Amino acid sequence: MKSGFRTAWVLVGLLVLSLVFSPVAVAQAESSSSGLAPAEHGPLLENRAATDSVRVQHTDAEKLSATDSKDQLVRQFIFERKPAEPGVIAAEMRFDIPDQIVELTSEIPDSASVTAADGFEPTGDGNYSWDGDTVDPSIRLSLSVNRTGAYHLKSAARGQVTETFGAKSQATETEPGLMFVDTGDWAIASVPPAGVYWSAYESDPTVSFASETAVAGSGVAGDRMVFLGTHTKATRSIDGQSVSVVVPEAATLESSTVDILGYFEAASPHLPNSPVRRSVVIAAPTSVDWGPYGLADRTDTWIRADQPIDEPGSIWLHEFVHLRQNFTTATDARWIREGMPEFYAALLTLEQGHIDFEAFSGHLDRGTQSRYEDVVLSRPDTWTSLANYAKGALVYGTLDRRIRLDSEQTVSARAVFESMNEHDQPIDQAYLDSAVSDLATDETRRDVEGYITTTQTPEMWSQTAHQAAFGAAPPDINASIGSLDITGPYRNDTVDIIPVLVPGETVSVPITITNEGEETGSYERILILNETVVATTSGSLDGGESTSVSLAHTIAEPGPKTLTTGATPWNFSVKEPATPVVTELTVSEAAVEVDSEVTIFTTVLNERSWPATGMVPITIDGTPLKEWDIRLTGGEAVERTASATFEKAGTYQISAGTETVTVTVTDPSKTTSGVPPDSQSPLTPTSSTMGSKTATETPGFTAGSFFIALAWLGAWFVRKNQ
């Protein structure tokens, strides 16, 4: 027997083994019945205790590594697209097996077929058994993704969430639709259940189990759902829950990821703490025929990307509330699983100022419609279409209002929600009675019990009654955006559309923020550049108060850009500055005398639509005269002048950019005495250096003249002496 193991008892699980040598322990990792139940969106009883405390998630295969604990069995579930086979994806189960384990069996998901196995052999009953020797054994699968179910038709009211009944639906207003799908280009898939059983030597600590999920290639893996394909992702930590909003390239999001995450974050304090550490929220492309408008499974959810957040039945908030539910229900309390999120979706949207009381009231008042007059919430067989949503939301809202009034606003129905999450048995009507009795009067308990167990229906309350229980009209923060300011070294412009910019320019977004509600409310505005927050502003406003703020960012890098605040995006590009071009070069005079000043005129143009900058030099025969630092907006032209004095005769070439001009300089003093004016020729200067004094030859008494004079004098002297 291996050292450190105690041989004493046989631990009996779902698999019983007889070993020749020492006794071993037997354990079960997952029930094969785990997974998503079409009629429920939340956690399932048979899995919760077995997997919640040991499950670990990853987002890519490179991060997968064996656990640091030698006492933990780790299964790594890796998913990959198969573009050539729409409807099917590849999956691999990898196992890291500690030394204590001597036998291990893995179930194969019902929707999968085995394509390869390393260290595993089929057992003949559909399962696969480890050979006991292979290190890091694995099973490769071909996994069918597409799943459909029957769903209630969406209500005529915008934002009405749908309900899943599956094959057991008794309703007539249903139609089939997709729950999960693989298109070849992208996939939203459910992580399939697959039980793992093992036998191990008894040890201290005993062997534990962890299941990791990952993707190979582009995608995001959650604990319960996986997206495969090109995407962007925004993540925020919300009260200890890491929430990632995944936006597929194929999806067009109605609201920004910043607004969605802000919506979740504002709602979180009004809900129990998250029972999970990480959640994946997938914005589902709408190019396929979905059944529901959103679907949640314990830790993860997908929601149609075209759904807005500013509606009383917001799917985003409805599914977010599902992620905070950590209970199962008996039949007589099943209504609360959907009635609770539907109420909070309306209430918290109202309290965040996205809707007014009239919209909130109208949404809950659906529960009083005649189609629900025979509905008994505790009896699902009496439900008509959407009864647990519509009447359930009204009843749960009535419960919340009555608890607030009975407790003088010190307690709300959140306390009931929290107690349900902490309860380790299915929630039934008896439990609800007890929970309400602890928080409200006996009259409230009796009334609420009647609304649940009979056809009695509460009336929707008035705005005055709402304020008495929930407080005054909540803050209603609205923002209006003015024209943008573009500033920097090139221009100071006001625009509605951002033009092509260059690095160093600043975009400022002026915003007027108004609180149209009655209560003091806080605001936060965020400026995002390509999914990165680059500026924020926040504050608070009293009811009816207004303020002006500005969000600004200086662009640093070239490339395509998207600047966003709220639901308003601006798409633009950033390029390196263009180069100024000299288009014209002239002089005041092309022919001058020495020591005369010549004025040089240049025209410099930016031929591009975005700013230009650069040095423009003026040279004379290649020698620098002057240099200008030019900065121009798109299409702008400027004129520049310079002057030069030529102190020496000659021909000079003046250049700027690709333009040239010639100046001829003469010196009238350079002429020979006794030569007729019309026969004079220019004299060659002794130096051509620009700016030096010009030395010239001057007519006078030369050596030749001297000898001629001497010969003449000698001849005169001889003649005289004769």
Side-chain angles (χ1 to χ4, degrees):
M1 184 182 298
K2 300 178 183 179
S3 62
F5 301 149
R6 301 196 308 272
T7 305
W9 300 91
V10 177
L11 301 179
V12 181
L14 295 180
L15 177 67
V16 179
L17 299 178
S18 298
L19 299 181
V20 176
F21 300 102
S22 56
V24 295
V26 182
Q28 177 186 7
E30 287 191 45
S31 166
S32 62
S33 62
S34 63
L36 178 67
E40 301 288 348
H41 287 213
L44 302 175
L45 177 65
E46 50 269 37
N47 278 22
R48 189 172 60 190
T51 60
D52 279 356
S53 62
V54 295
R55 190 170 292 277
V56 181
Q57 300 90 17
H58 294 289
T59 57
D60 55 75
E62 288 75 11
K63 291 183 180 179
L64 293 175
S65 61
T67 176
D68 293 334
S69 172
K70 65 181 180 179
D71 303 307
Q72 191 170 59
L73 166 63
V74 179
R75 181 187 64 191
Q76 303 168 345
F77 222 143
I78 305 170
F79 301 89
E80 184 176 8
R81 281 194 311 123
K82 298 175 70 175
E85 298 182 56
V88 177
I89 62 175
E92 182 178 6
M93 295 189 293
R94 299 177 186 174
F95 294 84
D96 181 30
I97 303 175
D99 292 341
Q100 296 96 312
I101 293 180
V102 293
E103 290 192 6
L104 182 145
T105 298
S106 175
E107 291 181 345
I108 303 302
D110 292 340
S111 57
S113 59
V114 177
T115 59
D118 180 18
F120 280 94
E121 297 292 338
T123 61
D125 58 359
N127 298 331
Y128 273 67
S129 179
W130 176 46
D131 63 15
D133 296 319
T134 302
V135 178
D136 298 329
S138 63
I139 303 172
R140 289 194 60 83
L141 307 170
S142 180
L143 189 65
S144 296
V145 175
N146 296 1
R147 291 173 59 185
T148 60
Y151 299 86
H152 280 287
L153 296 174
K154 192 174 183 181
S155 168
R158 292 184 67 224
Q160 173 57 50
V161 70
T162 59
E163 177 191 1
T164 308
F165 276 98
K168 297 181 180 180
S169 173
Q170 302 297 318
T172 58
E173 300 175 22
T174 61
E175 66 176 8
L178 288 163
M179 292 191 296
F180 298 102
V181 68
D182 170 57
T183 68
D185 294 325
W186 56 269
I188 297 177
S190 173
V191 175
V196 178
Y197 310 87
W198 68 88
S199 300
Y201 289 105
E202 185 180 4
S203 62
D204 187 13
T206 58
V207 174
S208 61
F209 176 78
S211 179
E212 301 177 346
T213 58
V215 298
S218 181
V220 178
D223 184 24
R224 295 288 175 175
M225 294 184 187
V226 176
F227 174 77
L228 301 178
T230 306
H231 66 283
T232 59
K233 183 178 72 170
T235 301
R236 187 178 300 184
S237 179
I238 301 176
D239 296 332
Q241 178 186 16
S242 176
V243 180
S244 296
V245 177
V246 178
V247 183
E249 185 178 60
T252 300
L253 199 60
E254 173 72 17
S255 303
S256 71
T257 55
V258 172
D259 285 347
I260 291 169
L261 288 169
Y263 192 35
F264 292 163
E265 189 168 28
S268 181
H270 303 278
L271 303 171
N273 293 331
S274 173
V276 297
R277 293 185 296 108
R278 188 178 75 110
S279 292
V280 172
V281 179
I282 305 168
T286 55
S287 55
V288 300
D289 294 328
W290 293 113
Y293 283 74
L295 190 65
D297 183 17
R298 192 185 293 188
T299 61
D300 308 317
T301 180
W302 66 255
I303 298 162
R304 294 192 196 187
D306 62 357
Q307 294 302 293
I309 62 173
D310 55 351
E311 293 184 337
S314 168
I315 311 296
W316 295 95
L317 193 47
H318 180 104
E319 302 302 337
F320 183 71
V321 175
H322 273 309
L323 300 182
R324 293 297 177 94
Q325 291 177 327
N326 191 35
F327 57 84
T328 59
T329 63
T331 300
D332 60 357
R334 176 178 148 192
W335 67 272
I336 205 169
R337 289 198 56 78
E338 300 299 342
M340 172 193 285
E342 192 70 0
F343 168 71
Y344 281 120
L347 176 67
L348 300 181
T349 304
L350 170 68
E351 294 193 344
Q352 290 186 39
H354 295 298
I355 59 173
D356 56 21
F357 181 81
E358 183 179 1
F360 167 77
S361 175
H363 191 70
L364 294 191
D365 194 49
R366 296 172 308 148
T368 65
Q369 293 174 0
S370 59
R371 65 190 301 184
Y372 303 124
E373 62 185 11
D374 295 326
V375 166
V376 177
L377 287 177
S378 62
R379 293 178 53 196
D381 61 324
T382 69
W383 294 355
T384 53
S385 178
L386 300 171
N388 52 339
Y389 288 84
K391 186 173 181 178
L394 179 60
V395 170
Y396 189 87
T398 299
L399 171 64
D400 192 15
R401 186 177 72 87
R402 295 284 294 271
I403 290 175
R404 291 171 186 260
L405 290 173
D406 290 350
S407 66
E408 297 181 349
Q409 290 80 39
T410 61
V411 184
S412 71
R414 172 184 168 175
V416 177
F417 193 168
E418 290 173 338
S419 69
M420 293 167 66
N421 277 356
E422 295 169 0
H423 193 57
D424 59 2
Q425 297 295 323
I427 303 300
D428 57 15
Q429 179 57 40
Y431 180 83
L432 289 177
D433 279 344
S434 175
V436 173
S437 294
D438 292 339
L439 302 171
T441 64
D442 192 54
E443 180 184 4
T444 294
R445 182 198 63 76
R446 288 195 306 269
D447 288 347
V448 172
E449 181 183 16
Y451 300 145
I452 297 171
T453 61
T454 74
T455 59
Q456 295 179 46
T457 302
E459 293 182 354
M460 179 58 205
W461 54 92
S462 67
Q463 185 169 3
T464 301
H466 185 86
Q467 292 180 4
F470 295 87
D476 184 6
I477 306 295
N478 294 291
S480 61
I481 300 173
S483 297
L484 310 184
D485 294 321
I486 308 295
T487 59
Y490 309 99
R491 54 187 164 183
N492 294 291
D493 291 342
T494 299
V495 300
D496 293 319
I497 299 175
I498 300 178
V500 177
L501 303 181
V502 299
E505 293 195 285
T506 299
V507 182
S508 300
V509 183
I511 306 173
T512 300
I513 300 177
T514 304
N515 180 2
E516 297 179 357
E518 297 178 9
E519 291 289 315
T520 299
S522 61
Y523 65 86
E524 180 181 33
R525 297 293 297 192
I526 300 174
L527 189 65
I528 302 169
L529 181 68
N530 290 2
E531 299 293 332
T532 299
V533 176
V534 294
T536 61
T537 183
S538 60
S540 62
L541 294 172
D542 293 335
E545 188 180 2
S546 175
T547 188
S548 295
V549 298
S550 180
L551 295 170
H553 178 66
T554 301
I555 304 297
E557 301 289 339
K561 310 290 182 184
T562 299
L563 199 65
T564 306
T565 182
T568 306
W570 296 272
N571 297 313
F572 61 99
S573 61
V574 179
K575 298 183 178 182
E576 293 292 353
T579 301
V581 176
V582 177
T583 58
E584 189 175 6
L585 179 65
T586 61
V587 293
S588 56
E589 295 180 83
V592 296
E593 296 181 351
V594 294
D595 293 329
S596 296
E597 183 179 88
V598 174
T599 302
I600 304 166
F601 302 94
T602 60
T603 300
V604 185
L605 172 68
N606 177 11
E607 299 177 322
R608 303 296 184 181
S609 61
W610 61 92
T613 185
M615 305 302 295
V616 176
I618 294 287
T619 63
I620 301 179
D621 288 343
T623 301
L625 172 68
K626 189 175 184 63
E627 190 173 43
W628 294 297
D629 184 2
I630 301 294
R631 294 171 184 263
L632 301 172
T633 60
E636 182 184 9
V638 295
E639 291 185 352
R640 293 289 186 267
T641 61
S643 62
T645 300
F646 299 90
E647 298 180 349
K648 180 180 176 182
T651 300
Y652 297 89
Q653 181 173 285
I654 303 173
S655 301
T658 60
E659 302 294 315
T660 62
V661 66
T662 299
V663 174
T664 301
V665 181
T666 60
D667 189 345
S669 66
K670 292 181 180 180
T671 58
T672 303
S673 177
V675 180
D678 59 354
S679 63
Q680 292 182 359
S681 61
L683 301 175
T684 304
T686 58
S687 173
S688 62
T689 304
M690 184 182 70
S692 64
K693 292 293 183 181
T694 303
T696 61
E697 298 181 9
T698 306
F701 189 72
T702 66
S705 300
F706 172 77
F707 286 113
I708 293 172
L710 183 61
W712 181 85
L713 183 61
W716 175 81
F717 183 76
V718 170
R719 176 183 288 185
K720 185 177 180 181
N721 288 331
Q722 287 179 345

